[in-house]
Amino acid sequence: MAVQKPSIPKGTRDFSPEESAKRSYIFDTVKRQFQCFGYQPLETPAMENLSTLLGKYGDEGDKLLFKILNSGDYLSKIPQGDLTPESSSPLATRISEKGLRYDLTVPFARYVVMHQNEISFPFKRYQIQPVWRADRPQKGRYREFYQCDVDVIGSTSLLNEVELLQIIDTVFEKLKIKVVIKLNNRKILSGIAEYLNASERLTDITVAIDKIDKIGLNAVKDELIERGVSADSVGKLEPILLLEGKNQDKLNTLRKILASSETGIKGIEELETILAYAESLSLSTPIEIDLSLARGLNYYTGAIIEVKAKDVAIGSICGGGRYDDLTGIFGLNNMSGVGISFGADRIYDVMAQLDIFPAESAATSKVMFVNFGEKEAQTCLGLLALVRKAGIAAELYPDSAKMKKQLDYANRKGIPFVALIGENEIATSTMAVKSMASGEQHQVAFHQLNDFLTNQ
Amino acid sequence: MAVQKPSIPKGTRDFSPEESAKRSYIFDTVKRQFQCFGYQPLETPAMENLSTLLGKYGDEGDKLLFKILNSGDYLSKIPQGDLTPESSSPLATRISEKGLRYDLTVPFARYVVMHQNEISFPFKRYQIQPVWRADRPQKGRYREFYQCDVDVIGSTSLLNEVELLQIIDTVFEKLKIKVVIKLNNRKILSGIAEYLNASERLTDITVAIDKIDKIGLNAVKDELIERGVSADSVGKLEPILLLEGKNQDKLNTLRKILASSETGIKGIEELETILAYAESLSLSTPIEIDLSLARGLNYYTGAIIEVKAKDVAIGSICGGGRYDDLTGIFGLNNMSGVGISFGADRIYDVMAQLDIFPAESAATSKVMFVNFGEKEAQTCLGLLALVRKAGIAAELYPDSAKMKKQLDYANRKGIPFVALIGENEIATSTMAVKSMASGEQHQVAFHQLNDFLTNQ
């Protein structure tokens, strides 16, 4: 067989031990908080039936689904007449029944509908799994990436929104990332559309507003006009988007503007309740009402949330909102829920840029025993068992290679201590333990090694 | 849009919160031991280039690869003449470039070759990720399942084999599964083939022997004859497969039988060294030399290992061995390694059958605060923050629903305690904490809740 130079598909990544360990640190931190707030894990398969996925993410999303070729004779039932070089699109769903999941929300909705009789509602679940999108790969955008979703479904209480804000607050505090939470409400956006006499344009308006951060106010205005919103309406919208001041000031002004919109007022009241709770909990993360926050996804119906890092210019690193009819597409109505998703890849980038991964996240051995030969190795094996029993990661270099090679290995792997046990050390039951960072050497009795390592 | 009844692809599974939590318990236990022995995590993408995967698992394996349909106009470059209902097989690799990984070994080999200049050898890595196979689904066999692999590559020392035996010993001790380790060596199998004058039949012999557990000795003999091994050779093989007694007795007898085979003797010596180390470490898991152990995979060249549960009739729950040329397929020679893979799904089945998942693996809240209304909820939120700060999972029922509904929820979710805080309790800063199991009720002062919960 000819030897091939290996590669991986574009848009995908290998994660080295160092990267994997750092990623685990993020996942573990997030997971611990999810659990602390009473959320339970859920896992769904990587492959879903295409019928579950298609039509849920818009035409653009359908195109970005990775489809899995049917096994076996996938063409045998396709008539010759249907097989032409132009038939890629119509044939796709006839030769592939399954696709890779595109997000964790649709599989979650599917799960809830399939298991509605076993689930104890409100159902608080978290899910940390990869998703796949056939997007054009570019810096910071991958074809395989992880989502960390946390949702509660089956409760309309605004305490759930408050709880998600608490989770955001705690997670980023633990990760030591300074963030600001942006908050808005779809009902307010509906109210604004009513006020503009453009209710039937709500989607156009939210889609356009959603881009304000990227393309700026003027471009958004142009786009609205292009989408058929009247110049008069666009003129009335501008001061709303430019509203400044404290949250309560914004809401007070808005309450006057939207006075005639029942929906709009409802949205304002919801935000006021949420903010009052948040205030009483003295969260350390600032929360800002941002009326230009729209979030593209159509299924949101209440509060919408986005989190931005303060010290790094990057898009939102967490976001979500309230939806009233996510499970309706699968036949289960009246299931209101609210959830957020942490963007692990962007959080990683932020932490890498700020260089704030803690040393413990390295996941390497605390000590390596140098291998001086068979007899010495035998002694090391016994000591290793004791060290590991105390939960301390440790290893013995497997070959009695040259000292330099062994120390190089420890160094490259970031192992902080090496233990040297030769004939003399065996005779005195004492070893030399060397700190790789300082070069300092300590004499440590065999039975005191655990204590020594624990205190370092 | 017509409402569809949702389902998932056959051979795949959703994991409920309870199942996910138990699975996590297994993964976390395994992972902790891997780390304790100095292994570091690695993650590779779910999708690999088909060129990486094809030809690595035999013809049968190639057929079981899930292939991913190319995005966009995947047919546009295929000439009309090549498009026929009979062309499923030749067309497959022209319309799909990527496939889902089939195991973790080939991606590991690929990674090592691609990153050989950055890796500090010996490279000790673990990898816990799902793999996909288009097998016919049946009881206990799934199309998506997890592998937990641990390998060290770049060292020929037998200490690595010993270390893997230690890991097996510790992992199953922690999981409280009684197991026995079966050990053999490919070099011994080669020696046996030499002794039978059937060296060129080594693969046939190992493939046939591999089935002895499933189909019995007689059927294996029939199969060997069918595969063209002489009746004489098969006659000479039988007593070897039936060898009984202690490990050392087996090896002593074998040493005589294989006296003229250098390879065979080498294999015997390797096993003796490994067993001597294992003995000195007083592992609690018994190790049995099993000369009928072959393991189907062709790439093994030294020790081969398999682990069986003692109290549950199920196939092997962990297995692996030494390979000398795994990376050769990708152009990197002389990279000996050894590794094992834990079968998480079977381990789960064993633990479920023996009912030995610890209560802590449930991953549910320790306490739920009953929701009596807005004012009371406000008080609960403050207390919740304190409880969670102590790392104790806790929640507030989000709606002030009927008491029965709230208690039902706590019950179904397996939450051991509920806290009741009404008007009186607020006035006295004392709450009633009820044990869901015993029904017993305790008066607990607000500031003593953490202590109370920690001591339960």
Side-chain angles (χ1 to χ4, degrees):
Chain A
M1 184 167 46
V3 162
Q4 44 186 198
K5 213 180 149 120
S7 64
I8 55 173
K10 61 176 187 221
T12 70
R13 293 165 290 172
D14 286 318
F15 296 105
S16 72
E18 195 195 332
E19 291 162 335
S20 291
K22 287 177 174 170
R23 283 161 56 82
S24 283
Y25 175 75
I26 295 174
F27 294 137
D28 290 347
T29 304
V30 169
K31 204 183 332 185
R32 211 169 308 123
Q33 291 313 314
F34 291 169
Q35 287 177 356
C36 223
F37 281 81
Y39 291 79
Q40 296 185 303
L42 177 72
E43 290 173 79
T44 63
M47 298 187 285
E48 293 276 352
N49 290 321
L50 274 180
S51 56
T52 299
L53 301 175
L54 285 166
K56 308 306 187 297
Y57 309 103
D59 291 346
E60 206 41 51
D62 283 353
K63 280 188 209 137
L64 299 184
L65 292 172
F66 280 112
K67 299 176 187 71
I68 291 163
L69 197 59
N70 292 342
S71 301
D73 255 351
Y74 59 93
L75 282 177
S76 66
K77 283 182 186 150
I78 311 286
Q80 178 70 64
D82 292 358
L83 290 170
T84 69
E86 295 76 34
S87 58
S88 292
S89 177
L91 261 186
T93 51
R94 296 172 70 185
I95 61 174
S96 55
E97 283 168 2
K98 295 183 282 291
L100 295 180
R101 80 180 149 237
Y102 180 87
D103 68 5
L104 303 178
T105 309
V106 166
F108 171 55
R110 178 205 39 79
Y111 178 87
V112 168
V113 175
M114 281 176 71
H115 298 271
Q116 50 186 288
N117 297 321
E118 304 135 46
I119 293 171
S120 170
F121 291 101
F123 183 39
K124 299 172 81 168
R125 88 85 175 81
Y126 70 84
Q127 193 170 351
I128 300 179
Q129 293 192 287
V131 301
W132 294 269
R133 297 181 186 178
D135 250 320
R136 187 187 298 273
Q138 57 184 60
K139 196 178 169 324
R141 190 194 285 165
Y142 305 102
R143 291 184 152 191
E144 174 180 63
F145 57 97
Y146 268 71
Q147 293 192 328
C148 310
D149 278 24
V150 59
D151 290 80
V152 49
I153 194 165
S155 163
T156 54
S157 166
L158 295 172
L159 283 172
N160 298 302
E161 276 84 342
V162 176
E163 185 164 89
L164 295 176
L165 296 180
Q166 284 181 281
I167 290 179
I168 292 170
D169 185 56
T170 329
V171 162
F172 289 111
E173 196 191 339
K174 298 271 175 203
L175 295 176
K176 303 201 192 309
I177 302 177
K178 287 197 200 98
V179 297
V180 55
I181 298 173
K182 306 269 188 177
L183 201 61
N184 197 4
N185 193 302
R186 269 293 164 93
K187 295 191 180 81
I188 293 180
L189 292 174
S190 297
I192 292 172
E194 272 181 54
Y195 163 72
L196 303 178
N197 293 317
S199 283
E200 74 295 347
R201 294 272 174 218
L202 177 59
T203 304
D204 287 330
I205 292 174
T206 56
V207 167
I209 289 181
D210 202 31
K211 298 182 188 162
I212 201 163
D213 261 10
K214 278 190 200 147
I215 62 177
L217 180 64
N218 285 332
V220 166
K221 281 159 64 183
D222 291 347
E223 183 167 332
L224 284 169
I225 302 261
E226 226 167 81
R227 284 172 183 263
V229 179
S230 73
D232 181 46
S233 296
V234 173
K236 284 165 81 181
L237 176 64
E238 182 165 350
I240 297 178
L241 295 181
L242 292 176
L243 267 184
E244 298 234 330
K246 293 192 179 154
N247 290 333
Q248 198 52 58
D249 297 339
K250 285 184 193 170
L251 291 177
N252 289 345
T253 311
L254 209 53
R255 189 181 280 277
K256 285 173 208 149
I257 298 175
L258 304 185
S260 65
S261 162
E262 205 180 316
T263 312
I265 295 296
K266 184 90 183 1
I268 292 170
E269 284 167 358
E270 287 182 7
L271 285 195
E272 282 174 340
T273 305
I274 294 169
L275 287 171
Y277 274 121
E279 184 121 339
S280 77
L281 288 164
S282 11
L283 303 189
S284 52
T285 307
I287 302 177
E288 277 175 22
I289 301 278
D290 180 349
L291 297 170
S292 75
L293 174 63
R295 290 190 69 77
L297 292 167
N298 263 322
Y299 52 72
Y300 291 124
T301 50
I304 42 185
I305 303 166
E306 234 170 61
V307 180
K308 304 227 159 162
K310 273 180 165 174
D311 302 326
V312 176
I314 201 167
S316 105
I317 55 178
C318 175
R322 156 92 46 191
Y323 42 81
D324 282 335
D325 196 29
L326 196 60
T327 55
I329 39 172
F330 298 118
L332 180 64
N333 295 316
N334 299 317
M335 265 290 167
S336 186
V338 56
I340 51 173
S341 181
F342 287 80
D345 289 282
R346 282 192 179 168
I347 292 174
Y348 183 98
D349 290 347
V350 169
M351 293 184 70
Q353 206 167 317
L354 298 174
D355 195 17
I356 53 174
F357 281 105
E360 314 90 79
S361 64
T364 192
S365 294
K366 185 119 188 201
V367 64
M368 183 195 84
F369 289 78
V370 173
N371 189 328
F372 286 106
E374 214 169 302
K375 192 179 154 220
E376 291 85 352
Q378 186 78 55
T379 304
C380 294
L381 284 181
L383 287 166
L384 269 174
L386 293 176
V387 174
R388 288 173 183 148
K389 207 155 202 168
I392 300 169
E395 61 189 284
L396 163 67
Y397 193 88
D399 306 273
S400 58
K402 288 202 179 116
M403 179 75 110
K404 184 181 174 327
K405 193 174 174 190
Q406 298 192 41
L407 294 183
D408 270 357
Y409 168 87
N411 204 28
R412 290 184 63 175
K413 218 174 153 179
I415 299 175
F417 294 98
V418 293
L420 302 123
I421 301 180
E423 238 175 277
N424 291 340
E425 282 76 13
I426 294 179
T428 59
S429 291
T430 302
M431 72 193 88
V433 181
K434 182 180 165 173
S435 155
M436 293 297 283
S438 68
E440 215 181 332
Q441 208 152 308
H442 306 261
Q443 292 303 113
V444 179
F446 283 5
H447 70 277
Q448 290 181 322
L449 181 58
N450 282 1
D451 281 350
F452 175 84
L453 291 172
T454 310
N455 294 324
Q456 294 297 320
Chain B
M1 184 167 44
V3 162
Q4 44 187 198
K5 214 181 146 114
S7 64
I8 55 173
K10 60 177 187 220
T12 70
R13 293 164 291 173
D14 287 318
F15 295 106
S16 70
E18 195 196 332
E19 290 162 334
S20 292
K22 287 177 173 169
R23 282 162 56 84
S24 284
Y25 175 75
I26 295 174
F27 294 136
D28 290 347
T29 303
V30 169
K31 206 185 328 186
R32 211 170 307 124
Q33 291 313 313
F34 292 168
Q35 287 177 355
C36 222
F37 281 82
Y39 291 79
Q40 295 186 303
L42 177 72
E43 290 173 80
T44 64
M47 299 186 285
E48 292 275 354
N49 291 321
L50 274 180
S51 56
T52 299
L53 301 175
L54 285 167
K56 308 307 187 297
Y57 309 103
D59 291 347
E60 206 41 50
D62 283 353
K63 281 189 206 137
L64 299 184
L65 291 173
F66 279 112
K67 300 175 186 71
I68 291 162
L69 197 59
N70 292 342
S71 302
D73 254 350
Y74 58 93
L75 283 176
S76 66
K77 282 180 187 152
I78 311 286
Q80 178 70 61
D82 292 357
L83 289 170
T84 69
E86 295 75 35
S87 57
S88 292
S89 179
L91 262 186
T93 51
R94 297 172 71 186
I95 62 175
S96 55
E97 283 168 3
K98 295 182 283 290
L100 294 180
R101 84 181 145 235
Y102 180 89
D103 69 4
L104 303 179
T105 309
V106 167
F108 171 55
R110 183 215 22 90
Y111 178 88
V112 168
V113 175
M114 281 176 70
H115 298 272
Q116 51 187 290
N117 296 323
E118 304 135 47
I119 292 172
S120 169
F121 292 102
F123 182 39
K124 300 173 79 170
R125 88 85 174 80
Y126 71 84
Q127 193 169 351
I128 300 179
Q129 292 192 288
V131 301
W132 295 269
R133 296 180 186 178
D135 249 321
R136 187 186 297 275
Q138 57 185 58
K139 198 180 167 324
R141 192 193 284 165
Y142 304 102
R143 293 185 150 189
E144 173 180 62
F145 58 97
Y146 268 71
Q147 293 192 330
C148 310
D149 279 23
V150 59
D151 290 80
V152 50
I153 194 165
S155 163
T156 55
S157 167
L158 294 173
L159 282 173
N160 298 300
E161 275 85 342
V162 175
E163 184 164 89
L164 294 177
L165 297 180
Q166 284 181 282
I167 290 179
I168 291 170
D169 186 55
T170 330
V171 163
F172 290 111
E173 196 191 339
K174 298 271 177 205
L175 294 177
K176 303 198 191 313
I177 302 177
K178 287 196 199 98
V179 297
V180 55
I181 298 174
K182 306 270 188 177
L183 200 61
N184 197 5
N185 193 302
R186 269 292 164 90
K187 295 190 180 80
I188 293 181
L189 292 174
S190 296
I192 292 172
E194 272 181 54
Y195 163 71
L196 303 179
N197 294 315
S199 282
E200 74 295 345
R201 294 271 174 220
L202 177 60
T203 303
D204 287 331
I205 292 172
T206 55
V207 168
I209 290 181
D210 202 32
K211 298 183 188 162
I212 200 163
D213 261 10
K214 277 190 199 144
I215 63 176
L217 179 63
N218 286 331
V220 166
K221 281 159 63 182
D222 292 348
E223 183 167 331
L224 284 168
I225 302 259
E226 226 167 81
R227 283 172 183 264
V229 179
S230 73
D232 180 47
S233 296
V234 173
K236 284 165 80 181
L237 176 63
E238 182 165 349
I240 298 178
L241 295 182
L242 292 175
L243 267 185
E244 298 235 329
K246 292 191 178 156
N247 290 332
Q248 198 52 58
D249 297 339
K250 285 184 192 169
L251 291 177
N252 289 344
T253 311
L254 210 52
R255 190 181 278 276
K256 285 172 209 149
I257 298 175
L258 303 185
S260 65
S261 162
E262 205 182 315
T263 311
I265 295 296
K266 183 91 185 355
I268 292 169
E269 284 168 357
E270 287 182 7
L271 285 195
E272 282 173 342
T273 305
I274 295 170
L275 287 171
Y277 274 121
E279 185 122 338
S280 78
L281 288 164
S282 9
L283 302 190
S284 52
T285 306
I287 302 177
E288 277 173 22
I289 301 278
D290 180 350
L291 297 169
S292 75
L293 174 64
R295 289 192 68 79
L297 292 168
N298 263 321
Y299 52 72
Y300 290 125
T301 51
I304 42 184
I305 303 167
E306 234 171 62
V307 180
K308 303 225 160 166
K310 273 180 166 175
D311 302 326
V312 176
I314 202 167
S316 104
I317 55 178
C318 175
R322 159 114 11 215
Y323 42 82
D324 281 335
D325 195 28
L326 195 61
T327 54
I329 40 172
F330 298 118
L332 181 64
N333 295 315
N334 300 317
M335 265 291 166
S336 187
V338 56
I340 51 174
S341 181
F342 288 79
D345 289 281
R346 281 191 179 169
I347 292 174
Y348 183 99
D349 289 348
V350 168
M351 294 184 69
Q353 207 167 317
L354 299 175
D355 196 17
I356 52 174
F357 281 105
E360 315 89 78
S361 64
T364 192
S365 294
K366 185 118 189 205
V367 64
M368 182 195 86
F369 288 77
V370 173
N371 189 328
F372 286 107
E374 214 169 302
K375 193 181 153 217
E376 291 85 352
Q378 186 77 56
T379 303
C380 294
L381 284 181
L383 287 166
L384 269 173
L386 293 177
V387 174
R388 289 172 183 148
K389 206 153 204 170
I392 300 169
E395 61 190 283
L396 163 67
Y397 194 89
D399 306 273
S400 58
K402 287 204 179 113
M403 179 74 109
K404 184 181 173 327
K405 193 174 174 190
Q406 299 192 40
L407 293 184
D408 270 358
Y409 168 87
N411 204 28
R412 291 184 63 176
K413 217 173 152 180
I415 299 175
F417 295 98
V418 294
L420 301 123
I421 300 180
E423 237 174 278
N424 291 339
E425 282 76 13
I426 295 179
T428 60
S429 290
T430 303
M431 73 192 88
V433 180
K434 182 179 165 173
S435 156
M436 293 298 283
S438 67
E440 216 182 331
Q441 209 152 306
H442 306 260
Q443 292 303 112
V444 179
F446 282 5
H447 70 278
Q448 289 182 322
L449 181 59
N450 281 0
D451 281 351
F452 175 84
L453 291 172
T454 310
N455 294 325
Q456 292 296 320

